[in-house]
Structure formats: structure tokens, C-alpha cells
Amino acid sequence: MSIEVGRVCVKTAGREAGRKCVVVKVIDRNFVLVTGPKELTGVRRRKSNVKHLIPLPIKLDVREDADDREVIEALKQTKLYDELLGEKEKQKSKPEKES
């Protein structure tokens, strides 16, 4: 599998490690622009090193530089959308640490 526009990936490094994201633009052979979108997965739109992404077999039909609304609409066409909503609810229900 290659890293291409519309490819769903899992981030492996940084504060968003373990979260799913969608490639919206290939910058060069080392970097891509990804988005979660933030309100769905917690991954904000940012440049990411391809070495820090694991591509999944899911590819969305989105245009290059698609905005978050278009990505959400494309995700709604897949089973992954319901899975992401479930993960979002789990994150909300976790009790916050007391200091």
C-alpha cells in the first residue's frame, strides 16, 4: 500500500499516536498533509512524516486538499465512520486525572 490522497492511516508518533487520519495532500516523498478531522478523531490538519504513518487498506474518494467537511462526508460512506464515533465516545467517557 502506498501513501496517497484519500488513504486512511494510523499515526505512530507524536501526541496523536494511535489515532486514525486521512491523507489530503502529498507534499513530497517524505511528507504529507493529514487530517482526522479533529472533531472526529482528534487529529488536526498538519504536516506529517510518512515514516510516522501506517497505511490502512481503506482509501476514501476525496480530492487533493479536501476540507474537513468533505473528508467527513467521505468517511460516512464507510463502516470506519461508526467505529470512529465509538472511539470518540470512549475518549469522552474516560475520567480525567485529578491532581
Side-chain angles (χ1 to χ4, degrees):
M1 263 175 286
S2 64
I3 303 287
E4 58 196 338
V5 173
R7 179 67 62 192
V8 178
C9 300
V10 175
K11 295 195 75 176
T12 60
R15 68 176 66 189
E16 298 163 339
R19 296 187 181 178
K20 292 178 181 74
C21 62
V22 179
V23 175
V24 291
K25 185 175 184 176
V26 177
I27 298 170
D28 59 31
R29 58 184 217 140
N30 295 318
F31 292 96
V32 293
L33 187 67
V34 297
T35 187
K38 187 174 188 324
E39 59 270 11
L40 189 59
T41 66
V43 177
R44 66 185 181 104
R45 186 174 289 252
R46 63 172 51 196
K47 186 166 100 171
S48 180
N49 191 322
V50 296
K51 292 178 182 175
H52 299 159
L53 299 173
I54 298 173
L56 298 177
I58 303 165
K59 184 175 183 299
L60 303 178
D61 185 25
V62 294
R63 63 180 175 82
E64 186 173 18
D65 261 344
D67 63 11
D68 287 356
R69 191 175 17 122
E70 291 176 60
V71 174
I72 289 174
E73 289 303 315
L75 279 167
K76 284 181 180 178
Q77 307 302 316
T78 67
K79 289 190 274 184
L80 180 63
Y81 183 74
D82 295 329
E83 184 182 315
L84 293 173
L85 285 177
E87 288 176 13
K88 182 179 174 183
E89 291 303 315
K90 284 181 191 173
Q91 289 173 357
K92 280 185 178 178
S93 65
K94 282 184 183 174
E96 294 188 22
K97 292 180 181 176
E98 294 181 23
S99 43

